[in-house]
Amino acid sequence: DPIDAGGHDGTARRGLRGGDAGLREQQSMDLAMARGDARYSRSDYTRAAQAYDDAITHMKPRTAAQQTGSMRRGYDLPWSRKGVALVLSGDIEEGIKCLEMALKINPSNVLAWINLGNALTKLGRHQEAISAFERAIEGDPRQEIAWNNKGNALARLGRYIDALKCYNSAIKLNPRYQD
């Protein structure tokens, strides 16, 4: 039992029982994330988004201004996952806002860039989607889905030659895109 760990003077016990608020906040966030992931895996996207929102409320620091820049690694994930869940539940605009917050926290989150591009595509905002896919590709040029989806957005704009180049890049990375 970790509460009983420590020296005979009881200092470790008092420290943990006294309320390590940071540890409790992290555990609450982790639990909410797990709940969101379970709901997401059952395609219950609305309830998944609510669980991810619970995870966001347990993050420290709590203000949006503090959630950018110096946040520790991983704090972008609840925002990103909530954004995807909202998009899949049909609330695309709100999902985009969450994905953008995730990217403010961690601009190198390649999957968030891909998901932002996908959401923008759903709204017919193809040029913005292309920019998001390009950011994903800059972060990880081996992301064949980013190449493929960029090609789709380019094709929707009638830029077929550019789209073919993207499709070829996706195929080089993963031959299953050839089908």
Side-chain angles (χ1 to χ4, degrees), residues 7 13 17 50 55 74 79-80 91 107-108 113 142 156 167 169:
R13 180 180 298 149
R17 285 210 173 133
Q50 292 167 349
W79 285 105
S80 181
D91 193 352
S108 63
W113 282 113
R142 296 162 299 159
R156 288 184 177 113
Y167 294 144
S169 293

Side-chain angles (χ1 to χ4, degrees), residues 43-97:
S43 301
D44 187 356
Y45 302 122
T46 300
R47 291 183 63 213
Q50 292 167 349
Y52 296 135
D53 193 55
D54 288 345
I56 290 165
T57 64
H58 291 290
M59 291 189 313
K60 293 267 185 185
R62 291 179 184 256
T63 66
Q66 292 172 313
Q67 288 177 0
T68 60
S70 64
M71 291 282 289
R72 60 179 212 168
R73 188 169 179 243
Y75 275 32
D76 56 319
L77 295 179
W79 285 105
S80 181
R81 291 183 185 170
K82 179 182 177 186
V84 172
L86 287 168
V87 168
L88 291 172
S89 71
D91 193 352
I92 300 170
E93 290 287 352
E94 195 61 32
I96 287 172
K97 290 177 189 175

Side-chain angles (χ1 to χ4, degrees), residues 111-156:
L111 293 177
W113 282 113
I114 292 170
N115 288 319
L116 177 61
N118 292 339
L120 292 164
T121 297
K122 284 180 180 272
L123 293 179
R125 293 163 53 183
H126 303 299
Q127 194 57 53
E128 292 172 79
I130 291 166
S131 295
F133 295 132
E134 286 173 347
R135 289 292 302 267
I137 292 165
E138 287 172 18
D140 184 358
R142 296 162 299 159
Q143 285 288 331
E144 74 270 4
I145 195 164
W147 285 105
N148 183 73
N149 293 1
K150 179 183 174 186
N152 290 340
L154 287 163
R156 288 184 177 113

Side-chain angles (χ1 to χ4, degrees), residues 26-40:
Q26 183 64 45
Q27 289 172 335
S28 294
M29 183 178 148
D30 292 345
L31 181 61
M33 289 294 289
R35 207 169 44 249
D37 292 346
R39 291 171 179 168
Y40 183 94

